[in-house]
Amino acid sequence: MVFPDRGASAPYAQVKQHLKDQLSRGLWPPGTLMPSEAQLVAQFGVSRMTVNRGLRELQAEGLVDRVQGVGTFAAQPWRATSTLTIRDLHSEIVERGHRHNAKVYLAREEPAPATLAQRLGLAAGTAVFHTLIVHFENDVALQCEDRYVNPACAPGYLQVDFTQTTPTQYLLEVAPHWEAQYSIEASAATAREARLLAIERHEPCLVVVRRTVSRGVPITIARLVHPGSRYNLQGELRP
Amino acid sequence: MVFPDRGASAPYAQVKQHLKDQLSRGLWPPGTLMPSEAQLVAQFGVSRMTVNRGLRELQAEGLVDRVQGVGTFAAQPWRATSTLTIRDLHSEIVERGHRHNAKVYLAREEPAPATLAQRLGLAAGTAVFHTLIVHFENDVALQCEDRYVNPACAPGYLQVDFTQTTPTQYLLEVAPHWEAQYSIEASAATAREARLLAIERHEPCLVVVRRTVSRGVPITIARLVHPGSRYNLQGELRP
DNA sequence: CAGTGGTCTAGACCACTGA
DNA sequence: CAGTGGTCTAGACCACTGA
């Protein structure tokens, strides 16, 4: 039995992989002019659209720079940005085969302090929803989630049972597409957070602050505090 | 004066943007079947390759799932991974218009401890290069860089003047293309790190551990310790 | 079987660059 | 001006899916 095409990937992928190999061998140091589309067409015996697709994907990956009217240049590889997956804690825990549960310490409506109101695009003093939830993996506290929600975006927020679903999951249903900005820093937990997470007062914590926007409207701001000894983020950079 | 095409982007980009808008309006909830390429060809009056490119890019962005023989489906937007730029500290400081300088506390050859040797793909006890450098922004300590280097990849490493260039910059010249794995966590500095960074013994620090590999060969492992009060990472997620 | 997406072709027109 | 990349077209063949 013959397997047609087994092991042989699509032509555009071959062109792309060939250039990638040469780049990683240092054949074209950063900034060097690489072969033109026409040259690659001749070299590989494929159409220009095929070569173009390979080059376009290399450009999307940050491996080459292309300038109309000039040519294609090897890029500085470290400009490639790395991808970091910040996943829903619930799915992360479940995927490890562990048990996730949550304790809700607060779920109420409050007038928004000035700074917060501004970041949510609301007038100071406007009522916002505020929840404080601790998430456990196999009964070990992993995250303290202090969250404010724009009521206009999720009117039913306070009626949700957050021992059964997470705010993230619920908000995704209400406002399916979104953008987020986040910052990651190390700091000590507040006294209350330390108590809720059952850690010592000065244990270093990984703090992620995330602001979520959907179609220009701020939806929610969350401060996610993780004990440094129990949680880390992993990622990779792969040109 | 007429500006031809001003404001009107390429047809494939229009198709893509149109679908993106509809998705963000919630027209197709996650998992829903979206229009086929043939339908979009009819709707937009463009060729199939044009529609295909728009859809392919949406797929690359994680906004749709495409299954051959079945169709195109709206994806779960939160599966999109966010990009986090971890930049060279030197360029970051210079770009802020500030002054960067470095103090080299250690630069020598050492026998590698077992764990480290394993992570560098070397036999235990093999000689490796070890540097300990503190980086300052306007004379404030921002990062303590504890780095081990595989001598085979950068034989001249110890001869470099690291007050003039950074290990990252130098290693990039020696081994231009690479992959990296990293983890980010919060922990206390060691006693020595606290002293070098001029911080209190228990100040929370953001610790990035990065292992760099080029063409399958480990090049270097670095532990980058940042005082939590002086440094954070920022990123965004943008479906 | 009809419908889907994956890919390629051989040509085309264009904007842009630098000599 | 010749050379470059950016994009589109109208067709093609294919693998795959589910009825």
Side-chain angles (χ1 to χ4, degrees):
Chain A
M1 177 86 184
V2 178
F3 294 112
D5 272 7
R6 200 54 72 174
S9 52
Y12 85 88
Q14 291 178 29
V15 174
K16 182 179 165 185
Q17 189 57 51
H18 176 263
L19 294 172
K20 224 169 173 169
D21 288 345
Q22 305 278 29
L23 279 166
S24 75
R25 264 188 210 109
L27 182 59
W28 301 292
T32 307
L33 183 63
M34 293 170 57
S36 70
E37 296 194 349
Q39 288 170 334
L40 293 167
V41 162
Q43 180 181 346
F44 287 90
V46 297
S47 80
R48 199 185 138 212
M49 278 298 274
T50 300
V51 161
N52 181 268
R53 176 165 172 188
L55 286 168
R56 192 152 26 82
E57 294 192 1
L58 287 176
Q59 184 176 36
E61 293 174 25
L63 288 178
V64 306
D65 290 322
R66 315 195 74 201
V67 184
Q68 193 174 13
V70 185
T72 300
F73 302 86
Q76 312 285 352
W78 64 90
R79 276 188 331 183
T81 58
S82 55
T83 57
L84 177 74
T85 315
I86 299 194
R87 303 183 47 205
D88 183 46
L89 192 65
H90 175 77
S91 14
E92 204 177 313
I93 291 171
V94 168
E95 221 159 84
R96 281 198 279 264
H98 291 172
R99 184 165 28 85
H100 170 239
N101 59 308
K103 276 191 197 159
V104 180
Y105 286 94
L106 192 72
R108 68 179 185 203
E109 196 170 311
E110 294 178 5
T115 315
L116 180 74
Q118 193 199 335
R119 298 196 64 202
L120 280 174
L122 302 170
T126 308
V128 294
F129 298 151
H130 183 191
T131 51
L132 181 62
I133 300 173
V134 179
H135 297 275
F136 298 84
E137 174 171 9
N138 286 356
D139 298 324
V140 176
L142 211 59
Q143 181 188 86
C144 179
E145 174 189 13
D146 193 354
R147 183 182 291 274
Y148 291 88
V149 175
N150 182 343
C153 299
Y157 183 71
L158 292 182
Q159 276 68 58
V160 179
D161 177 1
F162 288 123
T163 62
Q164 297 304 310
T165 185
T166 64
T168 300
Q169 287 174 334
Y170 174 73
L171 291 171
L172 276 166
E173 287 170 27
V174 178
H177 284 74
W178 58 357
E179 307 142 70
Q181 306 156 340
Y182 55 86
S183 81
I184 300 170
E185 62 175 50
S187 68
T190 64
R192 178 165 73 171
E193 287 162 351
R195 183 161 34 81
L196 296 178
L197 290 167
I199 57 176
E200 286 181 22
R201 181 67 182 85
H202 295 290
E203 169 161 350
C205 289
L206 192 68
V207 180
V208 177
V209 176
R210 181 162 44 186
R211 177 168 174 270
T212 303
V213 175
S214 187
R215 301 185 62 70
V217 181
I219 298 178
T220 179
I221 294 176
R223 171 180 158 93
L224 311 171
V225 181
H226 313 79
S229 55
R230 302 176 195 159
Y231 189 81
N232 70 12
L233 293 168
Q234 306 210 340
E236 55 187 295
L237 186 151
R238 164 203 58 75
Chain B
M1 175 91 183
V2 178
F3 296 112
D5 272 6
R6 199 54 71 172
S9 51
Y12 85 88
Q14 291 178 30
V15 173
K16 184 178 164 185
Q17 190 55 51
H18 175 262
L19 294 171
K20 224 168 172 170
D21 288 345
Q22 304 279 29
L23 278 165
S24 77
R25 263 186 210 110
L27 182 60
W28 303 292
T32 307
L33 182 62
M34 292 170 59
S36 70
E37 296 194 349
Q39 289 169 334
L40 292 168
V41 162
Q43 180 181 347
F44 286 90
V46 298
S47 80
R48 198 183 139 215
M49 278 298 274
T50 300
V51 160
N52 181 268
R53 176 166 173 188
L55 286 167
R56 190 149 30 78
E57 294 193 0
L58 287 176
Q59 184 177 35
E61 293 175 25
L63 289 178
V64 305
D65 290 323
R66 315 195 73 199
V67 185
Q68 193 174 13
V70 185
T72 299
F73 301 87
Q76 312 285 350
W78 64 91
R79 276 186 333 183
T81 58
S82 54
T83 57
L84 177 74
T85 314
I86 299 195
R87 305 183 46 208
D88 182 46
L89 192 65
H90 174 76
S91 14
E92 204 176 313
I93 290 171
V94 168
E95 220 159 85
R96 280 198 280 264
H98 291 172
R99 184 165 29 86
H100 170 238
N101 59 309
K103 277 190 197 160
V104 181
Y105 285 94
L106 192 71
R108 67 178 185 204
E109 197 171 311
E110 294 178 6
T115 315
L116 179 75
Q118 192 198 334
R119 297 196 65 201
L120 280 174
L122 301 171
T126 308
V128 294
F129 298 150
H130 183 190
T131 50
L132 181 63
I133 299 172
V134 179
H135 297 275
F136 299 83
E137 174 171 8
N138 286 356
D139 298 323
V140 176
L142 212 60
Q143 181 189 86
C144 179
E145 173 189 14
D146 193 352
R147 182 182 293 274
Y148 292 89
V149 175
N150 183 343
C153 299
Y157 183 73
L158 291 182
Q159 276 69 58
V160 179
D161 178 2
F162 288 123
T163 61
Q164 297 306 310
T165 185
T166 64
T168 300
Q169 287 174 334
Y170 175 73
L171 291 170
L172 276 166
E173 285 170 28
V174 179
H177 283 74
W178 59 357
E179 307 141 71
Q181 307 157 343
Y182 56 85
S183 82
I184 301 170
E185 62 174 50
S187 67
T190 64
R192 179 165 71 169
E193 286 161 352
R195 184 162 33 82
L196 296 178
L197 290 167
I199 57 177
E200 285 181 25
R201 181 70 181 84
H202 295 290
E203 170 161 348
C205 289
L206 192 68
V207 180
V208 177
V209 176
R210 181 162 45 185
R211 177 169 175 270
T212 303
V213 175
S214 185
R215 301 186 61 72
V217 181
I219 298 178
T220 180
I221 294 177
R223 170 180 159 92
L224 311 171
V225 180
H226 313 80
S229 57
R230 302 176 195 159
Y231 189 81
N232 69 11
L233 293 168
Q234 306 210 340
E236 56 186 295
L237 187 150
R238 164 204 58 76

